[in-house]
Amino acid sequence: MSVLRFLLNGPLRRRIRLLQAKLELLTGRIEQLEQAFAATSFPDAGTVERMNATAGQCITVETQEHSLHGILVNMHQDSLELMDEQGQHVVVPAARILLIRQ
């Protein structure tokens, strides 16, 4: 037991602390990269401008699961708001949008 205690208190313990610090650093970097990726993905500034110009017009939004047709009510930073054929407001998350057609 004393050898095990020595290893845990000595070089092995330092190695574990070093690995924990590296893991925390990598976790922080991953979070930064995810935020940077989110900022550069849909919708970019040009898309927001074009979509705001089509507000009030009929568009079709394609997601992997659905094809939604309706009037563009508003373009948010992370979603589109449509009014469908039944007059209901539908919010489509930008991350799910594959294609937008007029």
Side-chain angles (χ1 to χ4, degrees):
M1 282 292 191
S2 62
V3 172
L4 181 60
R5 224 175 258 178
F6 170 76
L7 287 174
L8 289 176
N9 288 329
L12 188 56
R13 187 171 210 152
R14 276 184 250 127
R15 179 83 173 133
I16 289 171
R17 278 189 258 149
L18 180 65
L19 289 173
Q20 286 174 331
K22 286 182 178 182
L23 179 61
E24 288 175 15
L25 235 152
L26 288 173
T27 301
R29 291 279 306 189
I30 288 171
E31 289 172 0
Q32 287 175 345
L33 289 171
E34 286 174 340
Q35 289 173 354
F37 178 73
T40 60
S41 61
F42 180 82
D44 61 3
T47 302
V48 171
E49 191 175 307
R50 285 191 306 272
M51 294 305 296
N52 283 332
T54 62
Q57 298 179 12
C58 287
I59 62 168
T60 301
V61 177
E62 300 280 339
T63 67
Q64 195 164 5
E65 300 88 18
H66 303 354
S67 176
L68 304 164
H69 183 75
I71 297 171
L72 178 62
V73 176
N74 203 348
M75 175 81 184
H76 303 285
Q77 181 62 30
D78 59 350
S79 62
L80 285 179
E81 185 178 350
L82 299 175
M83 185 169 27
D84 67 7
E85 287 129 4
Q86 287 83 29
Q88 296 178 337
H89 284 259
V90 179
V91 177
V92 183
R96 296 191 176 258
I97 297 172
L98 300 177
L99 176 71
I100 300 172
R101 289 181 285 183
Q102 280 186 308

